Amino acid sequence: MQGNTARKWPDPRKRKGAMTDLLPTAGRNGDSTSTTLGRCFGGCAESCPLAGLGRCSGGTSAAPETPATARRVTVTIEGHGSASVSTEERLLVALERARGLGQITGLPRKLPVGCRRGGCGICRAQVIAGDYRRAPMSREHVSLSDEAEGVVLTCAIYAQSDLMLRLDARLPARRNCDGND
Amino acid sequence: MAHTGVLRPGFIQLRVLDMLAAVEHYSKRIGLHQVSEEADGRVYLKSADEFDHHSFVLRRADTAGFDLMAFKVRTDADLDAFEQRIVAYGYPVDHVPAGEQPGIGRRIGWTLASGHRIELFAHAEQSDPKPSAHNPDVWITEPHGMRARRFDHALLYGPEIEKNLEFFETVLDFRCAERLDMPDGVLAIWLTAGMKAHDIAFVKYPEPGKFHHASFELENWNDVGHAADIIARYDISIDIGPTRHGITRGQTIYFFDPSGNRNEVFTGGYTYYPDHPTRTWDHEQVGKAIFYYEREMNEAFLSVVT
Ligand code: FES
Ligand SMILES: [Fe+2]
């Protein structure tokens, strides 16, 4: 599916003025063993002992900017209504808002919301149609074969076109996948 | 010196999906300092208010969750004594050589009935930044972010926590400060090695080895409010709070790191002495026990883990 476009989404660490611009970006979705961070990220003053070692970048990062490329698309939950969402917004977070506005109704159970960061797996769903970008998500909940069938953690995808989503029991069963499958 | 054997939590090691995002979160937002990154990619962090080399370890992986938690014991001889007791209890013990983590001496490790790896170590080098020990100012390095003062405790989810209770009490000399009982048995236990209300806690859960949260101690309720401001300002995923736990009385916020591992910042809680009774809660007050102001558990408390 869209798995190969993962690196194209705006990297929040590339915001103008973010001190992490100073950091190596290699290893973002892979291993970071070749990088040596060795620096303090604190908003700490000259009193920071790491400052003297040139390892303290001090200060705090700039405000997030609304990406100029944000577009609005329509996400439909099979049988339960649809919502207008931004292409730069975690899908689950957009759906939480749509539920609050009454645009999504009659779900068989409450919209499952957990960590919103791709770790806990509670927002597991299947994309039936449409394009999306992926943020990191735990292999414990989405195996490689799940991924090929469009199974996602909705908190870790960004809709890039109109999307059809399946939340119900016809989801492919969670497999006993080890971390590296 | 009354406090012998296991002193306190030493460090926890968690898996993260994105190391750069994790380091930014724990250093800039929580307020820790990065001590080092080693050749295998693991990153070691600490609060400037902690003496020992590190208290928080991040390992990049394809899944989020818990690798291990290590407690510091008072003397090297304690390691041998505990090893004998753990083996006699029936758990195989393995040995981790000094230096497997930077600044940390030899460790012994084993797996609990709940599926979690626990370790003990006796020696840690100190690292900067750290508190002053002579005419000490309140801090040497100015606190930043949420101003976490220490990694304080973890809450872990897994089966057979009655066995964990027996093990921690009879083998590691912990005390159960507080427990939550359901009609069909114990649901959760809060265990302490010293005078804090808890150093580690367990909730019964079918899947072994799961992780609910790692908690950082803050100085006061105002700092909890400041942490809430940081959570909103940087759009950190929130679970619940600021609120208070009935259990331990801690004033708290639950939120998530960029890999979905739950964090807590908290302040307060009572002082536990070993002659105190175990405080107990029953199923009719379970809401108040967990979230004292809301008086009900949110859905995520029992279902969202990594
Ligand atoms: S809410 Fe936890 S993985 Fe999506
Ligand atoms: Fe806690």
Side-chain angles (χ1 to χ4, degrees):
Chain A
M1 216 166 235
Q2 312 305 316
N4 292 336
T5 64
R7 280 162 197 275
K8 295 202 182 118
W9 47 284
D11 184 339
R13 283 161 302 280
K14 296 257 180 77
R15 281 172 213 144
K16 195 176 89 194
M19 70 176 67
T20 41
D21 286 357
L22 302 170
L23 294 173
T25 51
R28 188 176 141 48
N29 285 326
D31 77 62
S32 59
T33 52
S34 61
T35 66
T36 300
L37 302 176
R39 69 170 70 237
C40 151
F41 291 75
C44 37
E46 297 109 77
S47 56
C48 173
L50 300 180
L53 304 174
R55 288 198 287 135
C56 177
S57 32
T60 52
S61 65
E65 291 161 20
T66 305
T69 52
R71 291 174 290 116
R72 298 207 70 83
V73 294
T74 300
V75 173
T76 304
I77 299 182
E78 213 179 25
H80 301 288
S82 56
S84 167
V85 311
S86 162
T87 53
E88 303 300 334
E89 181 170 47
R90 292 174 181 269
L91 181 56
L92 181 67
V93 174
L95 294 179
E96 284 183 82
R97 187 181 55 244
R99 178 192 56 190
L101 293 171
Q103 294 164 342
I104 296 171
T105 54
L107 285 178
R109 60 193 177 110
K110 214 174 151 215
L111 183 67
V113 176
C115 67
R116 302 186 193 85
R117 293 295 183 272
C120 75
I122 206 159
C123 64
R124 196 168 178 273
Q126 187 174 22
V127 176
I128 306 300
D131 297 336
Y132 54 90
R133 293 185 306 237
R134 302 165 61 88
M137 60 182 86
S138 171
R139 270 280 170 251
E140 187 179 345
H141 305 292
V142 180
S143 68
L144 283 176
S145 50
D146 280 346
E147 194 173 315
E149 292 175 57
V151 172
V152 297
L153 302 179
T154 56
C155 70
I157 66 167
Y158 296 71
Q160 295 302 290
S161 72
D162 290 352
L163 213 70
M164 175 72 83
L165 201 63
R166 175 176 290 169
L167 280 183
D168 66 17
R170 283 172 295 165
L171 269 178
R174 192 166 298 195
R175 292 164 178 81
N176 238 349
C177 40
D178 70 43
N180 303 309
D181 93 347
Chain B
M1 171 55 70
H3 197 166
T4 58
V6 178
L7 297 179
R8 61 169 179 272
F11 55 84
I12 190 168
Q13 180 172 310
L14 296 184
R15 298 188 299 275
V16 297
L17 303 172
D18 178 333
M19 183 59 84
L20 289 181
V23 170
E24 174 160 325
H25 172 82
Y26 286 102
S27 54
K28 286 170 71 173
R29 307 297 169 238
I30 302 288
L32 304 182
H33 293 260
Q34 181 177 322
V35 181
S36 71
E37 183 192 25
E38 299 300 317
D40 66 0
R42 276 181 292 175
V43 171
Y44 297 84
L45 302 120
K46 70 179 293 184
S47 163
D49 204 35
E50 293 174 307
F51 290 98
D52 282 356
H53 189 272
H54 59 263
S55 60
F56 216 83
V57 186
L58 302 172
R59 180 171 76 84
R60 212 209 78 82
D62 288 334
T63 61
F66 174 91
D67 273 348
L68 63 95
M69 180 166 166
F71 292 89
K72 193 178 192 190
V73 300
R74 192 157 171 80
T75 68
D76 197 69
D78 287 332
L79 286 182
D80 299 324
F82 279 120
E83 175 168 0
Q84 282 183 16
R85 292 171 68 181
I86 296 162
V87 169
Y89 185 81
Y91 292 155
V93 168
D94 60 76
H95 300 92
V96 183
E100 193 273 340
Q101 291 195 3
I104 304 294
R106 71 183 181 101
R107 289 134 61 192
I108 62 171
W110 69 96
T111 303
L112 298 172
S114 59
H116 300 93
R117 177 176 175 84
I118 302 292
E119 295 180 347
L120 301 178
F121 67 101
H123 174 75
E125 289 165 22
Q126 296 187 356
S127 71
D128 285 324
K130 67 182 177 203
S132 165
H134 178 64
N135 296 332
D137 276 304
V138 293
W139 38 256
I140 301 301
T141 300
E142 191 172 328
H144 67 280
M146 298 184 194
R147 311 196 273 250
R149 295 200 301 185
R150 64 168 179 255
F151 162 59
D152 186 89
H153 67 266
L155 173 56
L156 307 175
Y157 277 38
E160 304 201 84
I161 64 167
E162 304 87 343
K163 286 194 182 158
N164 284 6
L165 175 59
E166 179 185 87
F167 176 81
F168 272 89
E169 283 189 330
T170 63
V171 181
L172 298 185
D173 300 329
F174 279 56
R175 308 277 303 185
C176 182
E178 209 144 351
R179 60 185 282 165
L180 176 52
D181 293 311
M182 298 309 247
D184 59 346
V186 61
L187 176 64
I189 50 176
W190 284 259
L191 302 163
T192 180
M195 294 178 62
K196 289 158 56 194
H198 59 328
D199 290 315
I200 191 169
F202 295 94
V203 168
K204 188 181 286 181
Y205 191 74
E207 237 180 300
K210 302 306 281 186
F211 172 78
H212 188 272
H213 69 260
S215 186
F216 300 94
E217 195 242 7
L218 306 184
E219 185 165 340
N220 55 43
W221 181 229
N222 277 348
D223 276 359
V224 176
H226 179 63
D229 291 341
I230 288 175
I231 288 167
R233 163 65 178 81
Y234 292 102
D235 205 18
I236 293 169
S237 177
I238 183 95
D239 185 3
I240 192 168
T243 182
R244 188 198 274 271
H245 296 305
I247 291 169
T248 75
R249 295 190 211 147
Q251 295 157 315
T252 175
I253 313 176
Y254 283 165
F255 54 100
F256 297 96
D257 82 2
S259 302
N261 295 308
R262 193 187 274 94
N263 293 157
E264 174 181 51
V265 289
F266 85 104
T267 191
Y270 55 79
T271 302
Y272 177 82
Y273 285 90
D275 63 328
H276 285 182
T278 297
R279 291 158 159 92
T280 61
W281 294 78
D282 63 42
H283 67 285
E284 289 182 357
Q285 293 296 327
V286 59
K288 224 171 166 178
I290 304 299
F291 298 122
Y292 193 66
Y293 299 149
E294 292 78 5
R295 281 160 281 153
E296 63 177 7
M297 260 195 273
N298 67 357
E299 229 169 278
F301 184 80
L302 285 180
S303 63
V304 173
V305 291
T306 54

